[in-house]
């Protein structure tokens, strides 16, 4: 049958992070010793207290339909977390719980975007933002950044990207894929621009909040003058090593929360009760009071320092030191145009594939994040694996002439 699929899905790119992860799983299943630096997920276990809460929820038959926006207890705990960790003033009714930060962001776009509305996205960006905007019939507008500016936009760049059609702005700090973190002053300079354009809704993805190496997290929420048009995105996946539980949320103006509630009520309903119970327990933890989180952060810092040193030793690779998340985003374009005798490496996708099949190391092409000069490496894996991965990458790159 022809034309079975909609233009909507035909126009959509496949998620590059998930595609590479699937490819490396397939190779592993064939017996190939693949080291995966592709997907961004902590290699630590969910905190014991959260796991126990999930088990208790099952035993206590907490297995019926949950309220669509999340259980009252979890929404309250999230409001409390925003007060404790970020000094922000939100009520439980300002919060909606979704199936991961991914659904939370998609709901938000569906709630605010009309056909042709523009959404500004600093590049490099997380792979799914533009596709989510397109799904909502919006138009992504990119602001390019360079390694020299630590992949962070300036107020002047933001101002220049705004048009009468701009409806929203989305970014992540700490940033996936660059690991860059905006300082308070840098955020404040962007806020000055937003103040001149009151029609723009700001979506601040803060999912890597806990994973920072220089400073404590600076939330966009501290700029209370934006509160009526600010959507804070977060979840339990990264900070609490709970990727598989699929719990994300937004804290946002009531109109947006209630629109997301309406959308979610029609197509997914409330989120798994067991995952919500586990997340409620996780919310009691933060880097200040949890040894499990502290151990994880210490390991990420050591791995960052190790990987930075190893990457710097590879000829033709340029790298900056990220201040957060668990990604490195090295520039590798000096290898484009070179060949191993069989294939010519034309771009980051080719290089990423070459490294997968020659070095058996899975990375993600920078092109998928809007920056074809680079590739993304996730260092959420052991130091031994990182050392071995870098040895292999160095060897494979040296074959390119
Ligand atoms: N956010 C993670 C990453 O960038 C998880 C994969 C995904 O959902 O894209 O690798």
């Amino acid at each position: 049958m022809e034309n079975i699929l909609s233009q909507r899905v035909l126009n959509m790119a496949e998620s590059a992070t998930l595609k590479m992860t699937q490819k490396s799983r397939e190779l592993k299943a064939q017996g190939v010793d693949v080291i995966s630096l592709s997907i961004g997920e902590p290699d630590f276990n969910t905190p014991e207290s959260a796991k126990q809460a999930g088990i208790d929820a099952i035993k206590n038959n907490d297995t019926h339909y949950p309220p669509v926006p999340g259980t009252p207890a979890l929404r309250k705990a999230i409001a409390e977390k925003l007060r404790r960790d970020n000094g922000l003033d939100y009520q439980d009714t300002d919060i909606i719980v979704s199936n991961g930060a991914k659904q939370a962001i998609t709901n938000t776009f569906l709630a605010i975007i009309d056909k042709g509305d523009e959404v500004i996205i600093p590049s490099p960006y997380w792979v799914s933002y533009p596709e989510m905007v397109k799904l909502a019939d919006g138009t992504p507008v990119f602001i390019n950044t360079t390694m020299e500016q630590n992949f962070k936009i300036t107020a002047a760049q933001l101002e220049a990207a705004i048009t009468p059609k701009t409806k929203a702005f989305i970014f992540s700090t700490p940033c996936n894929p660059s690991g860059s973190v905006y300082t308070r002053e840098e955020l404040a300079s962007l806020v000055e621009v937003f103040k001149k354009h009151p029609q723009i809704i700001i979506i601040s993805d803060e999912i890597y909040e806990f994973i920072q190496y220089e400073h404590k997290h600076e939330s966009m929420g501290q700029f209370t003058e934006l509160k009526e048009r600010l959507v804070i995105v977060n979840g339990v996946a990264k900070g609490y090593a709970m990727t598989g539980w699929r719990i994300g949320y937004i804290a946002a103006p009531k109109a947006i929360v209630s629109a997301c509630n309406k959308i979610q009520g029609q197509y997914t309903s409330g989120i798994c009760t067991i995952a919500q119970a586990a997340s409620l327990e996780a919310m009691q933890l933060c880097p200040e009071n949890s040894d499990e989180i502290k151990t994880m952060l210490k390991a990420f810092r050591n791995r960052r320092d190790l990987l930075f040193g190893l990457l710097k030793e590879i000829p033709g690779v340029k790298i900056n030191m990220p201040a957060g998340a668990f990604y490195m985003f090295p520039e590798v374009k000096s290898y484009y145009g070179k060949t191993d005798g069989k294939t010519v490496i034309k771009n980051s996708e080719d290089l990423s594939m070459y490294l997968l099949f020659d070095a058996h190391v899975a990375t993600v092409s920078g092109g998928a994040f809007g920056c074809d000069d680079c590739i993304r490496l996730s260092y959420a894996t052991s130091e031994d694996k990182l050392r071995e991965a870098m040895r292999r990458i160095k060897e494979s790159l040296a074959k390119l002439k």
Side-chain angles (χ1 to χ4, degrees):
M1 191 174 153
E2 269 179 50
N3 302 330
I4 196 168
L5 300 175
S6 68
Q7 277 310 315
R8 177 177 298 111
V9 81
L10 292 173
N11 290 340
M12 185 190 277
E14 195 182 337
S15 164
T17 47
L18 303 186
K19 188 175 90 182
M20 270 318 260
T21 306
Q22 183 55 26
K23 270 201 193 321
S24 65
R25 277 186 191 139
E26 281 164 19
L27 277 180
K28 270 185 198 163
Q30 290 164 25
V32 181
D33 169 28
V34 178
I35 300 178
S36 179
L37 308 184
S38 56
I39 200 157
E41 94 164 317
D43 55 330
F44 290 87
N45 295 325
T46 295
E48 283 306 320
S49 56
K51 287 198 278 192
Q52 190 56 50
I55 293 166
D56 292 346
I58 297 173
K59 287 199 174 140
N60 296 334
N61 297 310
D62 186 2
T63 52
H64 299 274
Y65 279 133
V68 173
T71 62
L74 179 56
R75 293 168 83 198
K76 258 198 201 90
I78 292 169
E80 190 40 50
K81 175 253 169 283
L82 291 169
R83 209 175 324 276
R84 176 193 68 201
D85 297 340
N86 313 108
L88 305 181
D89 185 22
Y90 282 95
Q91 307 303 311
D92 50 351
T93 45
D94 301 323
I95 286 152
I96 173 164
V97 178
S98 297
N99 187 52
K102 266 177 149 161
Q103 189 191 14
I105 299 170
T106 307
N107 282 347
T108 304
F109 284 138
L110 290 171
I112 63 172
I113 301 296
D114 279 320
K115 196 169 174 56
D117 283 348
E118 293 178 356
V119 178
I120 297 177
I121 310 177
S123 169
Y125 46 76
W126 178 49
V127 285
S128 295
Y129 294 157
E131 303 311 312
M132 289 166 168
V133 170
K134 288 194 275 177
L135 191 66
D137 279 341
T139 307
V141 172
F142 303 107
I143 303 177
N144 289 326
T145 63
T146 61
M147 190 177 280
E148 285 64 39
Q149 61 185 113
N150 272 325
F151 299 112
K152 292 188 269 188
I153 60 163
T154 62
Q157 284 183 297
L158 175 61
E159 183 78 69
I162 294 172
T163 77
K165 287 186 178 167
T166 307
K167 181 68 189 274
F169 169 86
I170 184 166
F171 79 136
S172 59
T173 180
C175 172
N176 177 4
S178 68
S180 298
V181 178
Y182 283 79
T183 63
R184 190 184 183 286
E185 291 67 36
E186 287 163 345
L187 292 179
S189 71
L190 302 183
V191 170
E192 286 311 307
V193 178
F194 290 129
K195 281 190 344 207
K196 288 191 257 166
H197 301 276
Q199 82 284 6
I200 300 177
I201 294 162
I202 299 106
I203 305 167
S204 181
D205 181 351
E206 306 186 7
I207 189 88
Y208 294 93
E209 164 183 13
F210 288 169
I211 306 166
Q212 300 210 29
Y213 310 109
E214 316 293 343
H215 304 285
K216 206 172 164 332
H217 182 59
E218 297 288 353
S219 173
M220 203 59 173
Q222 69 189 285
F223 301 97
T224 46
E225 58 269 48
L226 296 185
K227 190 167 181 195
E228 287 315 306
R229 52 195 176 109
L230 175 67
V231 177
I232 297 176
V233 181
N234 210 326
V236 297
K238 316 293 179 176
Y240 298 109
M242 292 179 70
T243 47
W245 298 82
R246 310 306 304 133
I247 295 286
Y249 61 85
I250 57 166
K254 285 199 170 51
I256 295 180
V257 169
S258 109
C260 291
N261 188 22
K262 186 156 100 177
I263 294 165
Q264 198 158 283
Q266 287 292 14
Y267 81 94
T268 53
S269 277
I271 314 310
C272 170
T273 49
I274 297 143
Q276 290 201 63
S279 301
L280 171 61
E281 202 54 42
M283 283 297 152
Q284 316 311 316
L285 308 174
C286 64
E288 277 76 42
N289 70 14
S290 160
D291 287 340
E292 282 155 306
I293 297 179
K294 274 189 216 152
T295 304
M296 181 166 84
L297 294 184
K298 192 159 169 263
F300 284 147
R301 174 190 290 277
N302 291 341
R303 294 166 185 182
R304 175 191 71 150
D305 295 347
L306 172 73
L307 187 59
F308 182 75
L310 293 171
L311 278 167
K312 259 175 54 178
E313 283 170 17
I314 303 180
V317 171
K318 217 168 110 191
I319 181 78
N320 67 337
M321 183 62 124
F326 35 62
Y327 305 111
M328 291 263 169
F329 202 55
E331 188 184 290
V332 289
K333 68 173 179 193
S334 68
Y335 288 95
Y336 302 169
K338 297 192 174 180
T339 175
D340 62 344
K342 289 182 282 210
T343 338
V344 179
I345 307 295
K346 294 182 295 303
N347 49 35
S348 60
E349 173 75 15
D350 289 352
L351 192 72
S352 184
M353 284 301 161
Y354 171 68
L355 292 177
L356 179 63
F357 289 105
D358 194 79
H360 298 151
V361 178
T363 60
V364 186
S365 69
F369 302 93
C371 180
D372 196 43
D373 293 348
C374 301
I375 55 172
R376 191 191 76 172
L377 312 177
S378 159
Y379 52 87
T381 194
S382 73
E383 291 189 20
D384 282 350
K385 281 197 179 149
L386 288 175
R387 274 197 202 87
E388 173 59 11
M390 287 311 111
R391 190 194 64 71
R392 293 188 197 175
I393 287 183
K394 194 173 176 183
E395 204 173 278
S396 288
L397 289 178
K399 290 190 222 162
L400 295 174
K401 301 288 175 226

